[in-house]
Amino acid sequence: MVGQALPLHVATLLTGLLECLGFAGVLFGWTSLVFVFKTEHYFEELCEPPSGTLGNTTDCKAQDERFSLIFTLASFMNNFMTFPTGYIFDRFKTTVARLLAIFFYTSATLTIAFTSTDSAVLLFLAMPMLTVGGILFLITNLQIGNLFGKHRSTIITLYNGAFDSSSAVFLIIKLLHEQGISLRASFIFLSVCSIWHVGRTFLLMPWGHIPYPLPPNYSYGLHPGFSSQSLACVLGMAPQQRKRRTEQENKELQSKEFLSSKDETSGPGQQQGPGSFWSYALSWRFAWHLVWLSVIQLWHYLFIGTLNSLLTNLAQGNMVLISTYTNAFAITQFFGVLCAPWNGLLMDRLKQKYQRDMRKTGFSDASVALFSAVPSLALTSLLCLGFALCASVPFLPLQYVTFVLQVISRSFLYGGNAAFLTIAFPSEHFGKLFGLVMALSAVVSLLQFPLFTLIKGPLQNDPFYVNMALLLVTLLTFVHPFLVYRECRARREAPCATA
């Protein structure tokens, strides 16, 4: 059965990567799209006096603020909606969640396709819808990691990397636009791709959830490689029967997984189950993880949202230079799919090493896994600090280094966030805690717009003081790995402590 199902597993993995790489996280390519919008004179009427031709102006505060506000709203929805969309996925399962994603995504791309300078305000509706559809695509694809057993964490971080790298789509749209392909044609093409999403939903994805661990006879989708018995089950069952069967399998697996995680997280002499959701949500471990995620994420969103304005200032309005650096930034974003898995591999290798070293001390597997997260958390903070320092230096060629550090830092951030929540808290509360931390960090990300307004207004286009303040705040992120390390050291001295 495993050998027969492997081609379907691989097909599901590859098409899922293509979906995340081509559609889910296009928001992060905002800088390339802003360049196209400015070329098409979107919101140019806000400039005083009107610039007439984009090349005749080096900066337009009102226009930049309007684009920054759109990105702020879209990036807020990208994170905040993780909580309700996660609930939809849990409650209504994969097919319903994906159909909703297709609806939002297609509506957004069609709206952008038919906008013009007179209806540019519709971007306030279209961009948030685009991000909500994209995050739903990601959530429904993350479960594919369950099909690959011990490589589950690597697959999950790979999907997060593909999500980040999909920003290259807007670079392609920009390059096509420079070759004469209209913005409308490009987004109509993205809308037509929804046919592919629908086909994948019904042919390569389950009706319910992909369980973990997989049962021996688990089947999903429609594929000729299945045995006749499995294929008959899939084809012969009505949707409601298939749904009931999947729910029954999930309940049995959740019961087994609960017992397994209970044994794994309990120390010697303890057999109690996990605490309540709020006991973990209000814990210091969760609070410092929220600070760690929010501060680093704010840096990334502020950088992406203001990059076009930053490049305009550093290049002194030279459109050729602005276009070159915009392309360079978008190209580096593509490498997120290659960077993200390294974080998962680092944690997996460290976990195996610590398991060998600490098995004799009586450490539980949960404690070893938590200890393996410390280098990942600290390295992500260090990468963000390096990226922030480079971004704060007003020297245009240095921004190439900034772009590289930014994509590596962001790839480590989101993969590390999901991995830490998985190992630091009980699996029973993972979905709720993941949604909560993303929603709360989204609220913090709203600070990017007032910071942008502060730079453009009172600071007269000089971000020095804002950057210095954020650099000091970034140092707080190192507190999180330090506290986790100190907790693990305390457990090492008292192995009987609970996880």
Side-chain angles (χ1 to χ4, degrees):
M1 178 65 187
V2 174
Q4 292 174 336
L6 183 58
L8 179 60
H9 285 52
V10 173
T12 305
L13 170 66
L14 294 178
T15 55
L17 283 174
L18 181 61
E19 187 169 78
C20 287
L21 191 61
F23 304 95
V26 291
L27 172 69
F28 297 117
W30 176 248
T31 304
S32 299
L33 194 61
V34 167
F35 187 93
V36 177
F37 285 147
K38 284 188 173 183
T39 304
E40 293 288 330
H41 311 298
Y42 280 45
F43 300 118
E44 201 172 81
E45 70 278 1
L46 299 174
C47 300
E48 296 180 1
S51 57
T53 305
L54 186 65
N56 294 336
T57 183
T58 58
D59 187 34
C60 177
K61 174 184 173 183
Q63 184 187 38
D64 287 338
E65 284 184 346
R66 187 61 58 90
F67 284 124
S68 177
L69 186 57
I70 292 172
F71 180 78
T72 300
L73 180 61
S75 59
F76 169 78
M77 295 295 286
N78 182 68
N79 282 3
F80 186 80
M81 289 302 292
T82 303
F83 191 73
T85 52
Y87 173 80
I88 291 172
F89 175 61
D90 287 343
R91 176 67 178 84
F92 299 102
K93 309 299 188 301
T94 301
T95 300
V96 173
R98 286 184 59 81
L99 291 177
L100 190 61
I102 294 168
F103 169 77
F104 278 124
Y105 203 91
T106 308
S107 299
T109 51
L110 285 174
T111 300
I112 296 173
F114 291 99
T115 56
S116 63
T117 53
D118 296 329
S119 58
V121 70
L122 289 176
L123 294 178
F124 281 97
L125 174 65
M127 292 307 298
M129 290 177 65
L130 195 71
T131 61
V132 172
I135 200 67
L136 265 171
F137 279 138
L138 175 64
I139 289 174
T140 57
N141 278 308
L142 285 178
Q143 62 180 327
I144 293 174
N146 297 347
L147 298 172
F148 292 86
K150 63 181 181 179
H151 303 294
R152 179 173 176 246
S153 297
T154 303
I155 299 299
I156 289 174
T157 53
L158 185 63
Y159 272 111
N160 276 283
F163 180 80
D164 288 344
S165 296
S166 63
S167 58
V169 171
F170 284 164
L171 168 63
I172 295 173
I173 290 176
K174 174 183 176 293
L175 296 176
L176 290 175
H177 186 268
E178 292 173 346
Q179 298 301 316
I181 305 299
S182 69
L183 189 68
R184 176 170 297 181
S186 295
F187 275 92
I188 287 178
F189 174 78
L190 290 179
S191 302
V192 172
C193 288
S194 294
I195 298 173
W196 182 78
H197 296 312
V198 173
R200 184 170 180 272
T201 298
F202 290 103
L203 298 178
L204 289 175
M205 295 296 286
W207 171 270
H209 294 144
I210 298 176
Y212 182 80
L214 287 177
N217 295 318
Y218 177 71
S219 62
Y220 69 99
L222 300 176
H223 193 266
F226 273 67
S227 64
S228 59
Q229 181 180 2
S230 300
L231 189 59
C233 289
V234 175
L235 291 174
M237 283 185 178
Q240 291 298 325
Q241 291 176 310
R242 203 179 330 162
K243 182 178 178 182
R244 283 196 298 270
R245 180 184 132 180
T246 303
E247 288 176 348
Q248 182 179 358
E249 287 180 349
N250 286 344
K251 286 178 182 178
E252 293 174 358
L253 286 164
Q254 287 169 3
S255 176
K256 293 177 182 177
E257 195 171 345
F258 170 77
L259 293 174
S260 175
S261 64
K262 184 176 174 184
D263 293 338
E264 197 174 274
T265 58
S266 298
Q270 274 200 318
Q271 293 299 327
Q272 72 271 21
S276 67
F277 163 71
W278 288 110
S279 68
Y280 294 106
L282 299 176
S283 66
W284 283 109
R285 186 191 292 179
F286 183 81
W288 277 108
H289 185 68
L290 175 62
V291 172
W292 178 84
L293 174 66
S294 299
V295 172
I296 299 177
Q297 181 176 258
L298 178 60
W299 256 117
H300 288 290
Y301 279 160
L302 182 65
F303 181 74
I304 295 172
T306 62
L307 181 58
N308 184 267
S309 177
L310 173 67
L311 293 178
T312 300
N313 293 332
L314 294 180
Q316 299 180 349
N318 186 322
M319 293 306 298
V320 176
L321 274 179
I322 296 171
S323 179
T324 300
Y325 277 85
T326 300
N327 293 349
F329 172 74
I331 290 171
T332 57
Q333 300 307 293
F334 180 78
F335 293 99
V337 69
L338 303 177
C339 299
W342 287 103
N343 195 13
L345 288 171
L346 171 67
M347 296 178 70
D348 288 340
R349 290 296 178 88
L350 287 174
K351 181 179 177 181
Q352 294 172 10
K353 179 181 182 299
Y354 294 151
Q355 280 177 333
R356 291 193 300 267
D357 296 342
M358 299 180 180
R359 191 167 291 150
K360 299 178 181 179
T361 67
F363 248 33
S364 67
D365 288 343
S367 298
V368 171
L370 186 63
F371 198 68
S372 68
V374 173
S376 172
L377 296 172
L379 180 58
T380 304
S381 295
L382 187 62
L383 286 168
C384 177
L385 185 62
F387 144 65
L389 283 170
C390 292
S392 301
V393 178
F395 182 57
L396 191 58
L398 184 62
Q399 301 315 305
Y400 287 121
V401 180
T402 305
F403 298 161
V404 173
L405 290 175
Q406 189 269 340
V407 70
I408 298 175
S409 172
R410 197 180 73 202
S411 298
F412 271 56
L413 175 66
Y414 291 110
N417 171 51
F420 179 79
L421 291 175
T422 300
I423 64 181
F425 302 97
S427 59
E428 291 79 8
H429 301 305
F430 170 76
K432 296 184 287 293
L433 290 172
F434 180 77
L436 181 62
V437 76
M438 295 300 287
L440 293 176
S441 67
V443 176
V444 177
S445 71
L446 290 174
L447 290 173
Q448 62 183 295
F449 183 70
L451 289 175
F452 179 80
T453 304
L454 178 64
I455 294 171
K456 283 290 185 179
L459 297 180
Q460 299 180 344
N461 248 4
D462 184 3
F464 176 78
Y465 293 105
V466 170
N467 289 343
M468 290 303 102
L470 286 177
L471 277 170
L472 292 176
V473 175
T474 303
L475 296 177
L476 286 176
T477 63
F478 288 93
V479 175
H480 182 37
F482 172 75
L483 291 179
V484 175
Y485 172 76
R486 193 175 68 172
E487 180 182 348
C488 291
R489 284 294 300 268
R491 292 183 185 182
R492 188 171 187 174
E493 294 172 2
C496 290
T498 57

